[in-house]
Amino acid sequence: MLLKTVCKSVLLGLPIGITFLDTVGYVARVEGISMQPVLNPEPSNTDYVFLSRWAVRDYHVQRGDVISLVSPKDPNQKIIKRVVALQGDVVSTLGYRSQYVKIPEGHCWVEGDHTGHTFDSNSFGPVSLGLVNAKAVYIVWPPDRWQILEAKLPDSRKPVSINVYNN
């Protein structure tokens, strides 16, 4: 009787859990220093964030959002970066092959907050929105770091020209 109940629970719970993870979101560990000081401000601590798949289900991201995406250089790796510019914007780059880049349709420009210690669009260029898989919305661990991650962009990294249709 106990085995039957356990089997029923697994058979019902597994599809519901998978559906939740695929459509709503999941918790992920953030590694590295590229998003300091917002994420992992202390090298000895590791932040865990809630990544909302629901927030990017229609590929709608805003300037300043912290997003998770598939690395354009290594499809087996997920990276977490901040959206700096959207399609139609012109951004001033930091060491990219052109000093200014106009972001093509269906793309965005992403950067880590720790300038000079990050592998981002300044290395690989604009990123297809199809590579975006979630938006980081909360720091959920450690407890003393619980907070909502706000969409904010430092004044020094705002686009040179903004496409008004993306607001």
Side-chain angles (χ1 to χ4, degrees):
M1 190 63 149
L2 178 62
L3 183 61
K4 185 177 179 181
T5 304
V6 169
C7 287
K8 258 188 184 177
S9 297
V10 169
L11 288 174
L12 286 174
L14 196 59
I16 292 169
I18 291 171
T19 301
F20 182 86
L21 293 173
D22 279 349
T23 58
V24 178
Y26 59 98
V27 174
R29 178 180 175 181
V30 178
E31 297 178 355
I33 62 170
S34 72
M35 287 301 294
Q36 284 181 340
V38 174
L39 299 173
N40 295 344
E42 306 278 328
S44 59
N45 292 344
T46 300
D47 286 340
Y48 288 79
V49 295
F50 178 73
L51 295 171
S52 172
R53 290 185 186 267
W54 191 258
V56 296
R57 67 189 177 279
D58 57 358
Y59 301 106
H60 178 73
V61 295
Q62 297 178 34
R63 288 174 209 90
D65 284 349
V66 176
I67 60 169
S68 169
L69 62 146
V70 175
S71 171
K73 292 293 185 185
D74 180 2
N76 295 318
Q77 181 183 21
K78 288 185 183 168
I79 58 176
I80 189 162
K81 302 294 175 203
R82 187 175 303 277
V83 176
V84 171
L86 302 170
Q87 63 186 12
D89 293 351
V90 175
V91 67
S92 172
T93 68
L94 302 170
Y96 188 61
R97 62 181 173 228
S98 303
Q99 184 178 1
Y100 297 100
V101 173
K102 182 174 182 179
I103 310 306
E105 187 174 340
H107 289 69
C108 64
W109 188 268
V110 296
E111 293 182 358
D113 288 351
H114 197 173
T115 305
H117 296 89
T118 179
F119 185 66
D120 56 23
S121 286
N122 288 296
S123 302
F124 47 72
V127 174
S128 170
L129 290 174
L131 296 177
V132 175
N133 55 34
K135 175 182 171 185
V137 290
Y138 304 104
I139 297 175
V140 297
W141 195 262
D144 62 327
R145 300 238 332 113
W146 285 349
Q147 61 185 289
I148 295 172
L149 291 170
E150 297 178 25
K152 59 183 177 182
L153 196 56
D155 288 334
S156 64
R157 294 310 306 142
K158 290 191 176 169
V160 174
S161 170
I162 292 177
N163 181 354
V164 294
Y165 297 108
N166 288 327
N167 293 330

